[in-house]
Amino acid sequence: MSVGILTLIVLALAVVGFFVGRSRAMSSVGGDARKLHSLPGYYGQTVSLFTAVPAFALMALWLFVQPMVIDARIVGQLGPQIAEDATASKLAMEDVSRIASGLDALQAARGMTNEEMRDMRADFSDIRGRLAEVGVALGSEVNPQIFEMAKDYRIMQARGAMMMSVLVLAAAAAGFVVALRRIHGEFRARNVSETFVRWLLIASAGVAILTTIGIVMSLMSETIRFFGMYPIADFFLGFTWNPQFRGGSDLGLIPLLWGTLYISFVSMVVAVPIGIFAAIYTAEYAPPKVRAVVKPVIELIAGIPTVVFGLFALVTVGPFLRDYIAMPLGLGNSGSSVMTAGLVIGVLNIPFISSLTDDIINAVPQSMRDGSYGLGATKSETIRKVVLPAALPGIVGAILLAASRAIGETMIVTMGAGAAAKLGLNPFEAMTTITVKIVSQLTGDIAFDAPETLVAFALGMTLFVITLCLNIFALWIVRKYREQYE
Amino acid sequence: MNDMRIVERDVDITENKITARGVQVYYGTNHALKDVDVDILDKTVTAFIGPSGCGKSTFLRCLNRMNDTVASARVEGKILLEGEDIYDPKVDPVQLRAKVGMVFQKPNPFPKSIYDNVAYGPKIHGLTRNKAELDEIVEKSLRRAAIWNEVKDRLDASGTGLSGGQQQRLCIARAVATNPEVLLMDEPCSALDPIATAQVEELIDELRAEYSVVIVTHSMQQAARVSQKTAFFHLGHLVEYGETGQIFTNPQDPRTESYITGRIG
Ligand SMILES: Nc1ncnc2c1ncn2[C@@H]1O[C@H](COP(=O)(O)OP(=O)(O)OP(=O)(O)O)[C@@H](O)[C@H]1O
Ligand SMILES: [Mg+2]
């Protein structure tokens, strides 16, 4: 039974459970809904939940665990030599699963029985040719041992799926019966549904937190591996970035960090004032009709993919800055520059800051402004002294979001600032950032055992720490200057 | 109305502070205030009474052009402050509001410290030369609003952290600190206990020596206690306006009589 059909059956059972539960609750009080503790629908809901939730949880768990168990068993069959070599066992597993899926296709195409499949032998028949007929191309002749393992693999999978179907259906049926038997007039179905909602929300928050932890852990372990191969001091204090694929590279962080901070700084200098002023205009000064047009137009910029901005940087802003500013002032003749990328990222971030800030300013209650006007304050005094301070925590949040975007931006930097890791003050020179180097260290032929590739994880970790510090700093600002209104 | 102590008082001041003629207010298509004529005297407390929704706050907000901030509101007619039309395009509403202060129906302290709330007006108008003078104004205003003893040890705490009644008095202190010529108070005692109410009424009486005070109230007793003139509003009309003693003892209009004896409300 496939997962899809199983899901449908469980769902159908849950729907039936809803109606049965509801009518059972009604009949338990002789059809008078006022005598029930909760509204009749809540009783139906408990039956649905008890039917579907444990069954689906079991199914998810099974689907997650089964491949791991099967893989472990197959690898066990490979013999200790291969099993201990991570790369070799991974390759063997890939072969096994490819042949197994080929056999699935073959069985489906030819309508073969399970017995016929079991009798097929790699040393007697041309498996490669037959699999090619159903569209599964193999790189070499099939090794009989691998072929036998593929057959085992299929059998184990089929058995697993079978067991899963039985258990899931049993769980659904058990939940159905248990929930139904609990129903009587006094049963607090409403509270059960409340508890369920709480756990659902906790689970969702848990997923978000766990994935973050998972990402950090994996970054962490690779970073530690990197520092096993490359001295930590040379990474953090190195002034040169010069990776060599034959080894002996200089992997100093400082030029990349400098480029990242410099470009982000330029972009924030552009985006923060313009974004906030635009927001103040749309929120406080613009007549409703103008606001209805201006706000969506500003927000439209946010929908443009960054690669388009990158093109804009490459063909318009870069050459313009070079021809009209950098060259006349004798500041260099590079088309890609910190200024180009910074300006364009700034433009990208304007709508972010302005649209969020506009919403935040609008959330400041009108009574606050009235209080200020009533004391004879002008509009700009009111905005500066009452509205903006009240909106500050939100505005800081918006700025922070924009800063993280600037720090993490890759495409515009590649196209606007180039890929040369340099340390310098001249904003019309090409420079590059951490993100660009993460990408370039991981493109091409890569092996995850050289410091030149593992450095990407250390760079990623550095970015993570920078954004974390930014967040902590912002929290601190917000705490310190918070002006809370009810 | 025998329980009310209606003191015989003479209103000997005849100088008009505010003159309203034919004031109409519309909120969109809702005609909220219909043809109101009032003379508000200088150095006098004027009470506005009337059932909920009759337009008392609306009229009060016309007197310092706070209705400008309501997009749907439209004001017609003439309102003169010392003979000058406040709706004249030449008049700066900001200057006007510095002269005609307001305490709002709903307390609206700024999300700032108690000190900064009170210091807000004096600071923007540059009323003080140094910090010591500002401190003095803040303390005096808080004392007049009968809240000094409760907040003197926590002037740095946020104004929004106070109780509803404390917020109301903080807003009174804030309005008094700017030294307005006219003070408009929209139900300033609605959330106050009898003791604080008595103190605020004392303040109002004290302010009368220099300013003209307009107070909206739902308490007949309060109107009788603090005001010299009373205006009764009903369904957007100014039904009756006269000396407080007169209104409460000998109302001319049957609607006024029904209201003060508790039959409409
Ligand atoms: N901002 C507004 N927008 C639209 N209509 C309003 C607005 N403010 C007041 N109104 C309307 O104007 C009329 C008078 O309201 P107003 O606030 O002046 O009453 P009030 O006499 O102060 O009542 P209360 O004693 O309850 O405070 C009401 O019908 C109200 O619905
Ligand atoms: Mg009112």
Side-chain angles (χ1 to χ4, degrees), chain B residues 27-28 30 32-33 50-59 61 70 72-73 105 186-187 216 218 233:
Chain B
Y27 289 110
N30 175 14
L33 213 56
S52 187
C54 65
K56 305 180 296 293
S57 299
T58 300
F59 185 61
R61 291 166 62 93
V70 179
S72 66
Q105 181 163 5
D186 201 344
E187 301 185 30
V216 172
H218 280 294
F233 287 81

Side-chain angles (χ1 to χ4, degrees), chain A residues 93-159:
Chain A
M93 268 321 297
E94 272 170 22
D95 279 349
V96 169
S97 66
R98 182 128 54 135
I99 294 171
S101 60
L103 289 177
D104 289 343
L106 192 65
Q107 187 176 18
R110 298 279 163 77
M112 291 162 82
T113 65
N114 283 338
E115 283 68 38
E116 285 172 315
M117 294 305 292
R118 199 184 320 136
D119 293 338
M120 210 171 351
R121 296 274 302 268
D123 29 4
F124 293 148
S125 53
D126 175 20
I127 299 295
R128 188 180 176 191
R130 292 173 72 177
L131 289 185
E133 282 168 34
V134 292
V136 179
L138 297 179
S140 61
E141 280 305 326
V142 178
N143 172 336
Q145 194 208 353
I146 297 284
F147 185 71
E148 289 308 311
M149 281 163 55
K151 290 201 312 195
D152 270 1
Y153 184 80
R154 291 188 64 226
I155 292 170
M156 281 195 266
Q157 271 192 329
R159 253 194 232 141

Side-chain angles (χ1 to χ4, degrees), chain A residues 37 207 209 282 290 465:
Chain A
H37 171 271
V207 168
I209 293 171
T282 54
V290 176
V465 172

Side-chain angles (χ1 to χ4, degrees), chain B residues 175-195:
Chain B
V176 170
T178 24
N179 240 343
E181 297 169 20
V182 180
L183 188 58
L184 310 173
M185 302 174 107
D186 201 344
E187 301 185 30
C189 301
S190 61
L192 299 190
D193 62 63
I195 297 171

Side-chain angles (χ1 to χ4, degrees), chain B residues 228-239:
Chain B
Q228 288 81 49
K229 299 279 258 179
T230 296
F232 171 63
F233 287 81
H234 187 237
L235 298 177
H237 294 283
L238 175 65
V239 174

